[in-house]
Amino acid sequence: MIRLSNIEKRFGDVTVLKGVTLTVAEGRVTALIGPSGGGKSTLLRCINLLEVPTSGSVRIGEEELTFHPGSKPNWPDVRRLRSQTGMVFQNFQLFPHRTAVENVMEGLVTVQKWPFGKAQERAMTLLQKVGMAHKADAWPATLSGGQQQRVAIARALAPFPRVLLCDEPTSALDPELSDEVVDVLGKLAEEGTTMVMATHDLRLASKIAHEVVFLESGQVVENGASRDLFSRPTRERTKRFIATLTQQGQH
Ligand SMILES: Nc1ncnc2c1ncn2[C@@H]1O[C@H](COP(=O)(O)OP(=O)(O)OP(=O)(O)O)[C@@H](O)[C@H]1O
Ligand SMILES: [Mg+2]
C-alpha cells in the first residue's frame, strides 16, 4: 500500500501541493489527471523523493517517512524509500551510450550490485515482457519513441519496485507508437503491477486505471473509481475538464 498523507510542497513562496492525501492499494492503478501546472509531476516526484515534500508523510509498504519544514530527511532513509519505486518519464531518458539491455541492467549492476549474469538474465526477461527482446543490443537512438519507452519501462521494473510511477508516458509519442506503450502498461496492470501515472491521455487512463484523481492547483478536486469518474463526475470542474480531454481525443 502507498499512502500519502497531507503532502505539502513549497517552492520558495509558492505552495504547489496543498495537503494531498491519497491511498493506492497494492495491485491497483491510479491515474492523476488535471490541468497543466496542477501538481501531477510534483506529486509523483514527492512519492520517489526526487522532490522532498515540505511536510506530510509518504508510506510505501512498510517504509514511512514524515517531513517537516526546514528539516532534511537523511539520505539512507530517502534511498530506502526510493528503492521501492520505479519511474518512467515522458522523454524516456535512456542512457544514450548504453544498448537497450545495458540500460535495463544498469541500475541492477551499479546500484544493487547484482552479478552481471543475473542482471542480464533479468533484463532479457523484462525486454521479452515489453516486446523488445529482439532489440536488446540496439542503441537508443536507433529505436522509435515507443520502443524507447518500452525499454524505459523494463528498466524501471528491473529492481522489482513496489510501485511504478509514470509521468505522461505516452505524451511524447504519435498515436500509433502510443498504442504500443498503452498495450504494455495495460498488460502490466492486468498482472497486478501497482502504478501511479500522470496523464492527459484519456484512452490510457480509462483503459488501465482503476482509480482516478483529479488534481488542480495542488489539491485533489475529486477522486474515485475510473468508470464512475469518467462517466459521471460529480464536480462541475471535473466535468468540464473531462469534456475538454474527450474533445481533444477526437481530433
Ligand atoms: N523545481 C520547481 N521550482 C519552482 N516551481 C516548480 C518546480 N517544479 C514545479 N514547479 C511549479 O509547480 C507547479 C506544478 O507543476 P507540475 O509540473 O507538478 O504540474 P503538472 O500538473 O505536472 O503539469 P503538466 O500537466 O504541464 O505536466 C507549476 O506551477 C510549476 O511551475
Ligand atoms: Mg507534469
Side-chain angles (χ1 to χ4, degrees), residues 12-223:
D13 292 342
V14 186
T15 307
V16 168
L17 296 175
K18 301 170 185 163
V20 175
T21 295
L22 197 66
T23 303
V24 178
E26 210 86 19
R28 307 286 283 179
V29 179
T30 298
L32 303 176
I33 63 166
S36 187
K40 300 179 294 297
S41 298
T42 307
L43 190 63
L44 285 176
R45 293 165 64 84
C46 280
I47 301 177
N48 65 5
L49 305 180
L50 284 176
E51 296 290 358
V52 175
T54 307
S55 61
S57 63
V58 177
R59 177 172 166 194
I60 303 178
E62 304 314 310
E63 307 281 348
E64 180 161 16
L65 276 183
T66 301
F67 304 91
H68 304 283
S71 74
K72 279 197 175 157
N74 69 47
W75 176 239
D77 287 345
V78 168
R79 253 189 79 166
R80 220 176 37 247
L81 205 93
R82 186 176 296 159
S83 70
Q84 314 270 334
T85 69
M87 181 93 166
V88 173
F89 302 90
Q90 178 175 355
N91 295 320
F92 334 128
Q93 300 198 10
L94 295 178
F95 307 116
H97 303 299
R98 299 257 190 279
T99 62
V101 68
E102 287 167 354
N103 263 277
V104 182
M105 292 169 62
E106 176 80 14
L108 296 180
V109 173
T110 58
V111 183
Q112 312 247 345
K113 311 290 179 205
W114 282 35
F116 185 90
K118 194 172 155 220
Q120 194 177 39
E121 201 178 308
R122 169 88 181 134
M124 285 311 296
T125 305
L126 285 165
L127 287 177
Q128 192 89 45
K129 189 192 269 283
V130 301
M132 287 297 293
H134 64 301
K135 293 285 187 181
D137 296 321
W139 300 105
T142 67
L143 301 175
S144 74
Q147 291 176 327
Q148 288 186 55
Q149 192 61 302
R150 286 187 281 147
V151 173
I153 292 168
R155 179 178 65 177
L157 291 171
F160 298 97
R162 251 189 134 108
V163 56
L164 185 66
L165 307 171
C166 305
D167 197 357
E168 310 275 358
T170 58
S171 64
L173 303 171
D174 294 338
E176 214 171 301
L177 298 181
S178 159
D179 281 353
E180 62 189 51
V181 171
V182 173
D183 286 348
V184 165
L185 293 172
K187 196 168 86 178
L188 293 173
E190 272 169 25
E191 290 173 2
T193 311
T194 311
M195 289 189 241
V196 182
M197 59 173 66
T199 186
H200 288 108
D201 184 340
L202 197 59
R203 217 174 63 79
L204 173 64
S206 57
K207 186 170 172 195
I208 78 167
H210 302 106
E211 262 83 44
V212 178
V213 175
F214 179 58
L215 201 62
E216 184 175 51
S217 307
Q219 284 175 308
V220 175
V221 174
E222 181 169 357
N223 62 346

